């Protein structure tokens, strides 16, 4: 049956989905290293939990869908999703929440839509959205860095072996800033709040600013390797910087600087690793610009005016919805048709 | 269904108008009949309902008058969060003022307004607070309603019982997260923050206007 | 007036084959809003049964007097009157239940299922048939919404039958999962309704496919579709 | 130096050209037989003008061009025609097509060759000569060359592009041709120049062939022309006509437009060479340069006769033991021939011995992840992944919205795809489905109009008949009334205007009826018991008629003896 | 109460009048659906569906006739009709036959013209007592000429694939069966025979 036609070209470039995914993982490694160093080894535990859960969920669904296991488990896409989930979840999130999020991402957001390449939404962001909606309290508890917890402590907290004391956790810098501004009711300015070095560090979240810088470097490496194109990150960062800059210039007391917004929360991770996901994102050159800019803009709006601590996940999910429309209206002109039409 | 293709447009218009008119008259009549039949019962159960909520916030020992008819109508009152008219029930024991029952609104709930009913004794202590209407997230912010609160033995809302500005300084009327007195479930501080704020303001209003309210003539 | 076969056909259609939620996918608004618990879903369905049965009956009775071009306003009028009657009746005689469902009873009129059944069934059939069609469509909604509500409630909060005390005084909700169950909130929010409903639709389709396969494997067996539920 | 332009997309596969350029062109020995497919160019299929047993001479025409866009085919060597008919041809389908098979007599004896001075001839005559010589585009598209030699009326010709880019890996036949026979290529280009009258002639050669560039520059100088030889950057598919035109002139030829509409035309170097040979030497296209390479011990370029069995030609290169197929053309756009014995045709520029070591088997196809690599590689700036999506779903209307017919099937998208999707395959599938559907639709439209017309005609005939009948009846009644007394006359009158209803009684129809019945009887006899529903019991009288008629028919040779005939 | 009824009644009169007026003014003439259905039908005019031609069948479908009665349209035709009408796909009510054209055996033909009258698309030429012939490109393969022929000299010849009519096949997605082991789609007849010659 399959033998009655030939399939040129016979020469093929040395490329595969696995190679693409492996390079994405490699680009995340420096950020993970800095994360481990600054925040603690909890992230490594979370990555392990999420990867296991992702592979398990993937294998289960592939069996149910009667698909071969080897090529799809080996393509690395589930691992990428797992790592991203681990990186966007609070590092001290209980293990079961990471498992629930990962399974939801793989089973519902990816496999139920047809598996690799078919998901309209970024699975990692779906996991984040589901968990922050379902477990808002747990999803906004970030490690209190003043405590300097070791591996054993973090391990015990993640697996529920020691009680989760309120003192162990704190809000993210973004959340803390928002609450601070709200409580201050116009009396306390951004500058005063940011002066607290224990929470905000040099220019964004304490410790987090260096991790986000690593995301930026990893992203630039991906661009250099031609795994991603320049459009989405540029538009994302540009839009986020533009709107935060404009409002910051308008009232620096009530709105944080672009630098703070770019280097806190998941902005850089979103710009280089999540919004660039080709499956759920736009694919045309102009479409990518619109997609990135939209995501950047929404990120800011949700962060500053919305009810959730960070807006990256919802912004990207919202833009995922628009992808088909964007692609439809941004088809590039083809060879020979640039002038006429 | 009958059709009349021969009719011209105006003719058809007239015919349809007449038929629709007849239907409307007929069914409106049915509706009117049902309404008049059920009206007394509905009114009775509404009154019963009103009384039942009041009973929840105000112990029966504190009054012997007909609360539903000893009321004052307040215009829009910012202190109560009301941007419309609201009612104040006046409880009397043996003819002497004993407590006020106020309707208050917390406008800054997580999902819109939260309506409250609270009873304030004459000594400035809260007799009780109840949520009468809210749209807070189920499972997250809805524990302010004792029916939804998981802690059945001591629902969150009962924290207010017996409190006054004498026992708790006005500055401490905040949730613990903001450095105040009141507990709040982690992850859902917006709702209790709004409720605490509304109760504090309403209590203050009651303390300041108690005499004026008891003096003013009864509504109706 | 109505034969047994017709009755059976209407019953199977309403509760299974043309199930409003699982097959026709109508009435999604109440489905999303009211199935946060078993009791809510069931109560709203009960009210819908009354509205649909009565409006179907009335429309079928008057069907020969309703001109084609003004049928929609007339249908809406009839359905709206029935809804209001139910609303007033419940308010007067079942006040506790009315307190729970109060704001959703008037919304029954926006349930497209009501108008859909009038438009496709009641105007073409006798009053009794139309009444049963409406009632059984509502019955189909009752069991699906109850199940949907039960699943969402269980996953979301770990309880079953919360709010039952308002309907049957003396009964209480059952807490199935331990008290420290954190709750899976998505299940109670509208997206949860979509996800659980999708799973139910998938289960039904899977069952149908399997049933069709079975029927194909043993062709001589007389297929009585009515018997399956 | 001319300013060069860039085309978007393209890929850079390993060129693999050095293997086959170390040796000069060799003349392939006479094969055991030659099978010349009649259909070797775009357009009408030439009609065979020889029969089995005919002796033919080398260069003798064996297929007459059919229509203007068509080119003649010729005997590649002298010998005897041993077969005219279906033979497997080098086509991805593996189907057979009409061929003329010649057994060489070994003498390789030319037919009389007539050289002409084309400058003294009218352009139409030159084009006719090229058509008669079977000159077609030898770059692979095999479009009859004479069809491209008419300048557009409204647009002046600006550039003539001679394509020596040869961008596909492995292939070197044009390279060797330019190195060794550069002068003749230049002279051929001059013919095209004289016919098209462009302002400039540009010879584009990829910069990985410096020897060819130098040879061509020398040849241009030697011939004394002012052609520009330009080295273009090596990037597949720079040798695609549209891409080369873009690189050399900056013009983009859109789909559905001829390049002459933009004042530019493009020919392959080998085509120029054959055009020169055809006019200046009277030699039709009966051989071509073929690169034999790939998994062979001695890769080399051969001048091979059209019709040479591929396995015989490949054997000259001494294929290695693990060879398991022959790719005709390059590894990007060529295809594995369905049968190694198929003949070399005018489109055969290269034979690559295929082995799994040389061309590793593809990993299984994975789902598309929309990475967009294909879109970046597409030289026509299409969105292959979108086209793939809709081709796969058989949503052909959508594939057309995404311009599937602009696809030149260069294979760049498949080359870069990390999911290993045979994209080109999907596009070919979609294209041929769309063509088939278009054809079907056209046919059904014709059927519909014809059906409607027939219905209309039947209706009209019925009406006319009824009118006639009514008229006749009226006339008859009138006559009856007028000439009631003269009964005899009435009868005649009635016969003079026979009512149509009685038509079947006319003598002519009687004969016809009898004939039908006779035939029916014969058919009955043939089929024995199987009685047709049309065969009712016949009267004795009719039987007699039948026999009489049958006898007559037999005598006149009209009918056949009552025996079942094969086919 | 009275005012409520008055408002309702007024609304009823106005809306009723509007609707009645519009129902006459904006009446839709003709049925574009039939044209769409007719566009899908293959126009063989064979009558195998039980209707005299494609157009009548299209009209019947628009009125509710089954959509699976057209064998020349094939399963694909049924699918497209189902898509257009939102109906369920049904198995074709007959076997699908390969496309064919009618061929008249010229030696047997007696020139009776019966087939000419039967042909719905006038694809047969000939005259009385003259040998008939079929214009193959116009023949729809409807087989209507077969029964009337008294000598059964017409046969259906299946249209075979040629190099020109050959279509590229749908690339077989065979990831399910192969796993990581590779497959290459080599042509049949492949080149087993080539070793070093």
């Amino acid at each position: 049956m399959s033998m009655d036609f030939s399939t040129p070209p016979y020469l093929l470039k040395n490329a595969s989905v696995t190679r693409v995914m492996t390079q994405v993982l490699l680009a995340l490694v420096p950020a993970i290293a800095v994360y481990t160093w600054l925040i603690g080894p909890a992230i490594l535990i979370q990555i392990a939990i999420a990867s296991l859960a992702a592979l398990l969920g993937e294998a289960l669904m592939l069996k149910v869908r009667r698909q071969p296991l080897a090529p799809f488990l080996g393509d690395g896409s589930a691992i990428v999703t797992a790592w991203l989930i681990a990186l966007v979840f609070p590092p001290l999130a209980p293990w079961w929440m990471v498992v629930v999020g990962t399974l939801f991402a793989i089973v519902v957001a990816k496999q139920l839509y047809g598996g690799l390449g078919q998901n309209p939404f970024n699975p990692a962001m779906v996991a984040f959205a589901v968990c922050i909606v379902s477990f808002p309290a747990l999803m906004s508890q970030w490690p209190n860095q003043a405590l300097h917890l070791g591996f054993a402590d973090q391990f015990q907290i993640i697996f529920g072996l020691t009680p989760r004391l309120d003192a162990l956790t704190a809000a993210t810098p973004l959340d803390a800033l928002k609450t601070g501004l709200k409580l201050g009711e116009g009396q306390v300015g951004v500058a005063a709040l940011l002066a607290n070095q224990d929470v905000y560090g040099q220019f964004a979240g304490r410790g987090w600013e260096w991790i986000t810088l690593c995301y930026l470097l990893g992203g630039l490496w991906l661009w250099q390797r031609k795994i991603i194109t320049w459009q989405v990150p540029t538009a994302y960062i540009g839009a986020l910087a533009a709107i935060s800059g404009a409002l910051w210039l308008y009232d620096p007391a009530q709105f944080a600087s672009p630098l703070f917004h770019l280097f806190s929360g998941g902005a850089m991770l979103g710009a280089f690793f999540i919004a660039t996901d080709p499956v759920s994102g736009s694919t045309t050159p102009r479409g990518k610009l619109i997609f990135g800019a939209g995501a950047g803009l929404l990120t800011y709006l949700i962060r500053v005016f919305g009810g959730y601590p960070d807006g990256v996940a919802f912004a990207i999910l919202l833009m995922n919805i628009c992808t088909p429309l964007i692609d439809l209206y941004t088809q590039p002109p083809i060879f020979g048709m640039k002038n006429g039409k | 269904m009958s059709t009349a293709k021969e009719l011209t447009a105006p003719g058809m218009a007239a015919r349809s108008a007449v038929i629709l008119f007849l239907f409307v008259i007929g069914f409106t009549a049915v509706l009117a009949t049902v309404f008049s039949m059920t009206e007394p019962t509905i009114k009775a159960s509404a009154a019963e309902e009103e009384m039942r909520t009041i009973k929840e916030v105000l112990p029966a020992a504190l009054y012997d008058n007909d609360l539903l008819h000893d009321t004052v109508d307040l215009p829009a009152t910012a202190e109560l969060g009301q941007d419309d008219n609201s009612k104040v029930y006046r409880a009397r024991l043996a003819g002497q003022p004993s407590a006020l029952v106020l309707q208050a609104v917390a406008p800054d709930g997580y999902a819109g307004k939260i309506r409250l009913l609270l009873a304030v004794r004459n000594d400035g202590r809260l007799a009780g607070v109840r949520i009468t209407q809210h749209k807070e997230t189920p499972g997250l912010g809805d524990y302010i309603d004792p029916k939804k609160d998981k802690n059945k033995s001591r629902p969150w809302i009962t924290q207010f019982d017996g409190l006054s500005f004498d026992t708790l300084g006005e500055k401490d009327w905040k949730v613990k997260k903001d450095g105040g007195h009141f507990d709040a479930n982690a992850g859902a501080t917006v709702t209790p923050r709004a409720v605490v704020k509304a109760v504090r303001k309403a209590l203050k209003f009651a303390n300041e206007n108690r005499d004026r309210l008891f003096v003013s003539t009864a509504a109706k | 007036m109505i034969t047994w076969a017709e009755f059976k056909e209407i019953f199977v259609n309403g509760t299974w084959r043309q199930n409003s939620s699982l097959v026709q996918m109508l009435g999604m608004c109440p489905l999303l809003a009211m199935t946060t618990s078993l009791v809510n879903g069931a109560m709203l369905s009960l009210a819908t049964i009354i509205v649909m049965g009565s409006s179907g009956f009335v429309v079928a009775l008057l069907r020969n007097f309703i001109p084609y071009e003004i049928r929609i306003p007339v249908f809406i009028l009839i359905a709206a009157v029935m809804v209001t009657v139910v609303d007033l009746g419940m308010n007067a005689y079942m006040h506790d239940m009315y307190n729970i469902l109060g704001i959703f009873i008037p919304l029954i009129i926006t349930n497209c299922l009501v108008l859909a059944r009038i438009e496709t069934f009641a105007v073409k059939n006798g009053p009794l048939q139309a009444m049963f069609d409406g009632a059984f469509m509502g019955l189909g909604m009752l069991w699906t919404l109850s199940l949907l509500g039960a699943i969402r409630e269980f996953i979301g909060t770990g309880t079953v039958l919360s709010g039952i005390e308002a309907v049957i005084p003396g009964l209480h909700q059952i807490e199935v999962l331990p008290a420290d169950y954190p709750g899976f909130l998505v299940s109670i929010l509208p997206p949860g309704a979509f996800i659980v409903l999708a799973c139910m639709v998938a289960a039904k389709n899977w069952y149908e496919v399997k049933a069709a396969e079975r029927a194909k494997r043993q062709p001589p067996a007389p297929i009585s579709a009515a018997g399956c539920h | 130096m001319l300013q060069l332009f860039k085309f978007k997309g393209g890929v850079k596969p390993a060129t693999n050209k050095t293997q086959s350029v170390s040796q000069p062109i060799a003349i392939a020995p006479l094969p055991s037989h030659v099978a010349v497919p009649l259909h070797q160019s775009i357009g009408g299929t030439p009609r065979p003008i020889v029969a089995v047993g005919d002796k033919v001479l080398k260069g003798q025409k064996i297929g007459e061009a059919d229509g203007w866009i068509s080119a003649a085919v010729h005997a590649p060597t002298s010998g005897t025609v041993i077969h005219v008919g279906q033979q497997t041809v080098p086509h991805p389908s593996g189907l057979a097509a009409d061929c003329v098979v010649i057994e060489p007599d070994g003498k390789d004896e030319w037919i009389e060759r007539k050289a002409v001075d084309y400058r003294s001839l009218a352009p139409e005559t030159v084009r006719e000569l090229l058509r008669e010589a079977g000159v077609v585009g030898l770059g692979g598209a095999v479009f009859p060359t004479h069809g491209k030699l008419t300048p557009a009326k409204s647009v002046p010709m600006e550039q003539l592009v001679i394509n020596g880019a040869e961008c596909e890996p492995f292939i070197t036949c044009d390279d060797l041709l330019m190195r060794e026979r550069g002068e003749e290529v230049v002279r051929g280009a001059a013919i095209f120049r004289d016919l098209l009258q462009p302002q400039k002639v540009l010879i584009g050669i990829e910069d990985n062939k410096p020897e060819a560039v130098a040879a061509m520059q020398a040849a241009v100088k030697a011939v004394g022309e002012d052609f520009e030889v330009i080295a273009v950057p090596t990037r597949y598919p720079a040798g695609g006509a549209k891409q080369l035109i873009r690189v050399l002139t900056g013009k983009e030829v859109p789909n559905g437009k001829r390049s002459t509409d933009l004042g530019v035309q493009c020919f392959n170097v080998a085509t120029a060479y054959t055009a020169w040979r055809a006019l200046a030497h009277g030699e039709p296209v009966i051989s071509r340069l073929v690169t034999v390479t790939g998994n062979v011990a001695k890769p080399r370029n051969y001048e091979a006769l059209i019709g040479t069995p591929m396995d015989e030609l490949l054997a000259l290169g001494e294929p290695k033991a693990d060879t398991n197929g022959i790719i005709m053309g390059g590894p990007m756009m060529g295809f594995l021939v369905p049968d190694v014995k198929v003949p070399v045709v005018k489109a055969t520029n290269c034979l690559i011995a295929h082995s799994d070591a040389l061309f590793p088997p593809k990993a299984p196809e994975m789902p598309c992840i929309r990475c967009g690599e294909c879109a970046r590689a597409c030289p026509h700036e299409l969105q292959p992944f979108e086209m793939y999506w809709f081709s796969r779903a058989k949503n052909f209307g959508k594939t057309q919205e995404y311009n599937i017919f602009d696809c030149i099937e260069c294979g760049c998208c498949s080359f870069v795809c990390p999911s290993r999707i045979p994209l080109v395959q999907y596009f070919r599938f979609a294209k041929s489905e769309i063509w088939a559907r278009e054809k079907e639709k056209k046919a059904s439209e014709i059927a519909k109009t014809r059906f409607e017309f027939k219905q209309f005609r039947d209706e009209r005939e019925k009406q006319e008949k009824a009118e006639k009948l009514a008229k006749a009846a009226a006339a008859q009644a009138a006559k009856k009334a007028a000439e009631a007394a003269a009964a005899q006359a009435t009868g005649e009158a009635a016969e003079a205007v026979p009512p149509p209803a009685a038509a079947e009684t006319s003598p002519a129809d009687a004969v016809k009826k009898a004939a039908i019945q006779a035939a029916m009887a014969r058919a009955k006899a043939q089929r024995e018991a199987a009685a047709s529903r049309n065969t009712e019991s016949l009267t004795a009288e009719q039987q007699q008629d039948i026999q009489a008629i049958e006898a007559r028919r037999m005598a006149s040779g009209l009918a056949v003896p009552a025996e079942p005939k094969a086919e | 109460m009275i005012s409520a009824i008055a408002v309702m009644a007024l609304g009823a009169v106005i809306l009723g009048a509007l609707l009645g007026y519009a129902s006459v003014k904006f009446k839709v003439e003709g049925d574009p659906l039939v044209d769409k259905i007719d566009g899908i039908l293959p126009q063989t005019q064979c009558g195998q569906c039980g209707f005299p031609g494609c157009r009548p069948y299209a009209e019947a479908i628009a009125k509710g006739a089954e959509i699976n009665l057209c064998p020349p349209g094939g399963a694909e035709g049924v699918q497209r009709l189902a898509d257009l009408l939102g109906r369920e796909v049904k198995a074709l009510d007959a076997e699908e036959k390969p496309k064919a054209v009618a061929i008249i055996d010229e030696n047997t033909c007696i020139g009776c013209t019966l087939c000419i009258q039967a042909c719905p698309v006038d694809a047969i030429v000939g005259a009385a007592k003259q040998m008939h012939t079929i214009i193959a490109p116009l023949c729809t393969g409807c087989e209507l000429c077969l029964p009337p022929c008294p000598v059964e000299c017409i046969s259906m010849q299946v249209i075979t694939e040629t190099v020109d009519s050959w279509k590229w096949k749908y690339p077989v997605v065979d990831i399910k069966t192969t796993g990581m082991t590779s497959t290459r789609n080599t042509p049949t007849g492949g080149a087993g025979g080539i070793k070093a010659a």
Side-chain angles (χ1 to χ4, degrees), chain A residues 26 40 69 81 125 149 172 200 209 232 261 286 302 306 310 332:
Chain A
L26 273 178
L69 291 188
T81 300
M125 292 302 97
L149 294 171
T172 58
Y200 298 105
E209 55 213 335
V232 172
H261 276 288
R286 273 188 299 151
I302 296 170
D310 200 351

Side-chain angles (χ1 to χ4, degrees), chain D residues 440, chain E residues 40-51 53-54 57 61 66-79 81 90-100 140-143:
Chain D
E440 239 168 62
Chain E
I40 292 175
L41 296 177
Q43 304 300 334
T44 44
Q45 318 294 355
C46 62
Q48 289 179 66
C49 49
F51 297 91
C54 292
Y57 181 41
I61 290 178
E66 292 289 354
I67 55 172
N68 62 343
L69 305 176
C70 178
E76 204 198 319
V78 178
Q79 177 72 51
L81 284 172
K90 281 186 175 170
L92 202 61
D93 199 26
E95 259 178 60
E96 220 172 312
K97 278 192 216 166
K99 279 207 87 166
T140 62
C142 69
E143 302 188 4

Side-chain angles (χ1 to χ4, degrees), chain A residues 2-3 5-7 67-68 72, chain E residues 171 175-176 184-188:
Chain A
S2 66
M3 293 298 183
F5 60 91
S6 51
T7 58
Q67 298 275 317
F72 286 111
Chain E
I175 187 157
K176 282 196 175 182
R184 196 190 64 249
N185 298 314
T186 41
T188 44

Side-chain angles (χ1 to χ4, degrees), chain A residues 136-204:
Chain A
L138 288 169
M139 281 296 282
S140 23
Q141 289 171 4
W142 293 70
N144 188 340
Q145 290 175 53
L147 287 175
H148 300 293
L149 294 171
F151 179 83
D153 291 330
Q154 297 195 334
F155 183 88
Q156 291 194 339
I157 293 170
I158 290 170
F159 285 94
L161 303 174
T162 44
R164 309 179 69 80
L165 298 175
D166 275 1
L168 293 175
T169 55
T172 58
L174 275 170
D175 210 14
L177 184 70
K178 201 190 313 187
T179 316
L181 287 173
K182 200 168 185 180
L183 275 181
E185 293 187 341
Q187 309 302 315
V188 187
V190 171
L193 287 165
L194 288 187
N196 181 1
Q197 290 276 310
D198 275 354
V199 180
Y200 298 105
Q202 301 299 313
F203 52 91

Side-chain angles (χ1 to χ4, degrees), chain D residues 270-286:
Chain D
T271 314
Y273 171 76
T274 50
W276 170 252
R277 296 297 299 182
L279 295 180
H281 298 274
E283 288 175 10
V285 182
I286 52 165

Side-chain angles (χ1 to χ4, degrees), chain E residues 34-160:
Chain E
V34 173
D35 286 334
K36 277 191 189 156
I37 298 172
D38 202 29
I40 292 175
L41 296 177
Q43 304 300 334
T44 44
Q45 318 294 355
C46 62
Q48 289 179 66
C49 49
F51 297 91
C54 292
R55 179 99 198 161
Y57 181 41
E59 280 160 10
I61 290 178
K63 289 202 184 96
E66 292 289 354
I67 55 172
N68 62 343
L69 305 176
C70 178
E76 204 198 319
V78 178
Q79 177 72 51
R80 288 175 63 195
L81 284 172
D83 287 348
L84 174 72
L85 300 165
R87 293 200 205 161
E88 248 170 80
V89 179
K90 281 186 175 170
L92 202 61
D93 199 26
E95 259 178 60
E96 220 172 312
K97 278 192 216 166
K99 279 207 87 166
V101 286
I103 298 284
I104 293 181
D105 177 4
E106 293 166 0
N107 290 315
T108 321
C109 175
I110 51 168
C112 68
T113 76
L114 287 176
C115 58
I116 295 182
Q117 290 159 37
C119 180
V121 292
D122 289 338
I124 307 178
V125 286
K129 284 195 290 179
Q130 304 290 314
M131 186 262 294
H132 302 344
T133 190
I134 289 173
I135 311 166
L138 296 179
C139 175
T140 62
C142 69
E143 302 188 4
L144 287 180
C145 51
L146 297 188
C149 179
V151 293
E152 302 211 344
C153 70
I154 308 179
S155 58
M156 299 307 293
Q157 193 175 56
V158 173
I159 301 172
T160 51

Side-chain angles (χ1 to χ4, degrees), chain B residues 1-2 12 15-16 19-20 23-24 27 30-31 34-35 37-38 41-42 45 49 52 137-140 150, chain C residues 58 62-63 65-70 74 77-78 81 84-85 88 91-93 95-96 99 157 181 185 188:
Chain B
M1 269 183 268
S2 56
M12 196 71 174
R15 194 185 78 126
S16 303
I19 295 174
L20 194 56
F23 268 103
V24 165
F27 280 94
V30 172
L31 211 52
V34 175
F35 181 72
M37 274 165 61
T38 52
T41 332
I42 290 174
S45 35
E49 174 81 17
R52 197 162 53 193
T137 318
L140 187 62
K150 283 200 167 173
Chain C
V58 174
L62 298 174
R63 68 187 194 274
F65 307 101
I66 305 172
Y68 181 78
E69 62 280 354
I70 53 164
V74 172
L77 176 73
I78 293 172
V81 166
T84 316
V85 168
L88 290 171
N91 195 351
Y93 308 112
H95 195 72
D96 283 340
N99 276 343
T157 61
Y181 178 67
L185 211 60
I188 297 187

Side-chain angles (χ1 to χ4, degrees), chain A residues 127-144:
Chain A
F128 182 86
V130 164
C131 283
I132 199 156
V133 166
S134 291
F135 318 108
L138 288 169
M139 281 296 282
S140 23
Q141 289 171 4
W142 293 70
N144 188 340

